[in-house]
Structure formats: structure tokens, C-alpha cells
Amino acid sequence: MAARVGLTGGIGSGKTTVAGCFAGLGVQAIDADRIGRDITEPGSAQSEQILAQILEHFGRAIMDSQGRLKRKQLGQMVFNSPQKRKLLESILHPPILDKMFAQCQKSKSPYCILEIPLLIESGQHELMDRVVVVTCHPETRASRLQQHRKMSVDEINRVLDAQLSDQERAAKADDVIVNDSTIAALKQQVKILHENYQSMFGA
Ligand code: ATP
């Protein structure tokens, strides 16, 4: 079983870019958001069961005519209601984590990167062998998100205000990657961590 290195950070901090840097070094990177999408795509027994639970609690308006989730609407609904957010997380997080652990168990890497946006908020950081947090100055990430995702300043600030701060996340981390500079600088930090993890987890 590969060791579990949980990777997290706030919106636009660079989690996916960091996961890609680890993958470039041959490490298996597993993405919670992607698994979340897979297990809510109609077609499997598991997804039908999960979709039925979501339907029961959030209503038919949250599905399109083909039985697919309207993700943006669902996202807005839970953004505005902590209670609904908790409910949705209680439906989705356990099967997502099970799949991530199963993939990690089968992995040939000495360790896997588990990219989980709400790693610390959910308490799942306690289940990891190591926790790495990506931080990024709010202005830098706002400009990256505006440029690459076409998000508005208001939208970005609303999400940032609702999330933990970098300091709160970093307080729970074993390792911190500061993504305020170039991709080359980011890769260099990942390379050093990779060397540490290889000796830590017995490559
Ligand atoms: P989200 O929270 O939305 O999932 P994320 O934390 O995974 O985002 P990324 O998608 O990796 O963040 O990065 C956000 C944007 O910033 C992307 O467009 C990415 O290409 C860009 N980016 C990340 N790091 C850097 C960097 N060091 N220099 C320039 N652009 C960067």
C-alpha cells in the first residue's frame, strides 16, 4: 500500500498544477473532484444510488432531463446554505474517499498524492500519512483566476471569504508549498518534497 500524501489549498492556489508536477515525477496523483464527478455520472449502480440520495434531498430541479446533475446550480445551492453543504458532503465524501484509498492501495508508487480541496475542513487530513498545503497570495490567485477562468473579482472574493485562510490551512500541514512565483519555482519545491517523500516512504 502506497503512503497517502494529502494535498490541499484554497481556490486557485495551484493544487492541480502541483499534482501535475508530482505526476510528472512519476507519482500517482488522485483527484477527489474527478472521482466526485465520476461517481455522479449516471450509468453505474453506485452512481444511481448516490444520485437517488441527492435527488431525495435536493429535488428534481437539480437534475437535467437526462438525469445528470446541474453541478453549477447545486454548487450555488450549497454555497448559500451550510446545512445543505454538510448534507451533500455526507453523501459524497465517504464514497470518494473509499475510491481514493482503493486506488492508493493498488498503486505501485511509494506514495500517492491525494488532491482533496476540503481535506482540512472535513477532518480527512487526520487519515493521511502526510499533509501538504499549497498557499498563494490572494491577489496573485485572483489575477490567475481572472485570467484563466474568467471569474469576476466579486466571485473570487466571495469564495475566498468563505474558505479557511492559508494560515489556518498551513497550521495543519506537515509541508507547505508557496505558489507565489513561477512554475519553475513551483517545480523546484515539488522536486525537493518528492525527494523527502521518497526517502520517507521507502522508494
Ligand atoms: P481550484 O481550487 O479552482 O481547483 P487549484 O488550486 O487546483 O484551483 P490550479 O488550477 O492549479 O489551482 O491553478 C489555478 C490557475 O493558476 C490555473 O490556471 C493555473 O494554470 C495557474 N497557475 C498555477 N500556478 C501558477 C504559477 N506558479 N504561475 C502561473 N500560473 C499558475
Side-chain angles (χ1 to χ4, degrees):
M1 160 109 171
R4 303 188 283 240
V5 176
L7 166 69
T8 195
I11 182 171
S13 55
K15 298 177 288 299
T16 303
T17 309
V18 167
C21 295
F22 276 104
L25 297 171
V27 179
Q28 185 172 353
I30 307 168
D31 175 2
D33 281 347
R34 165 177 266 195
I35 294 181
R37 283 193 295 275
D38 288 349
I39 63 169
T40 49
E41 262 304 296
S44 72
Q46 184 185 33
S47 66
E48 295 306 333
Q49 191 234 336
I50 291 170
L51 288 168
Q53 285 183 65
I54 295 176
L55 191 74
E56 183 189 333
H57 294 288
F58 294 88
R60 185 153 293 280
I62 217 64
M63 307 260 180
D64 70 14
S65 54
Q66 268 134 39
R68 288 206 156 77
L69 279 183
K70 294 182 185 166
R71 294 179 198 280
K72 203 165 176 194
Q73 266 134 296
L74 187 58
Q76 272 160 3
M77 205 187 249
V78 300
F79 189 79
N80 295 319
S81 162
Q83 210 184 339
K84 287 200 167 110
R85 181 170 55 76
K86 283 252 162 279
L87 182 61
L88 185 64
E89 287 171 4
S90 73
I91 296 171
L92 290 176
H93 283 182
I96 292 174
L97 201 62
D98 279 356
K99 287 227 159 189
M100 295 184 95
F101 282 7
Q103 289 183 18
C104 197
Q105 195 145 23
K106 279 194 271 170
S107 176
K108 300 260 186 301
S109 301
Y111 70 94
C112 288
I113 291 291
L114 274 53
E115 182 187 346
I116 305 180
L118 295 177
L119 182 72
I120 288 161
E121 294 83 341
S122 65
Q124 289 171 346
H125 62 291
E126 306 280 1
L127 306 172
M128 303 293 142
D129 296 302
R130 195 88 186 164
V131 172
V132 52
V133 164
V134 189
T135 68
C136 181
H137 194 282
E139 279 172 23
T140 308
R141 69 172 89 170
S143 89
R144 287 177 187 159
L145 288 172
Q146 270 175 280
Q147 202 185 336
H148 300 291
R149 304 258 178 89
K150 309 280 175 248
M151 284 176 77
S152 72
V153 178
D154 274 0
E155 210 179 334
I156 295 165
N157 285 337
R158 251 185 293 127
V159 177
L160 281 176
D161 287 347
Q163 292 190 332
L164 289 182
S165 67
D166 276 353
Q167 289 71 18
E168 286 169 309
R169 265 192 216 91
K172 304 280 184 197
D174 299 299
D175 304 298
V176 175
I177 294 176
V178 180
N179 186 20
D180 286 337
S181 178
T182 59
I183 296 285
L186 189 65
K187 280 189 174 158
Q188 185 55 26
Q189 294 178 74
V190 170
K191 186 169 170 278
I192 292 168
L193 278 182
H194 175 59
E195 282 161 10
N196 290 345
Y197 294 160
Q198 278 186 311
S199 49
M200 219 177 270
F201 302 121

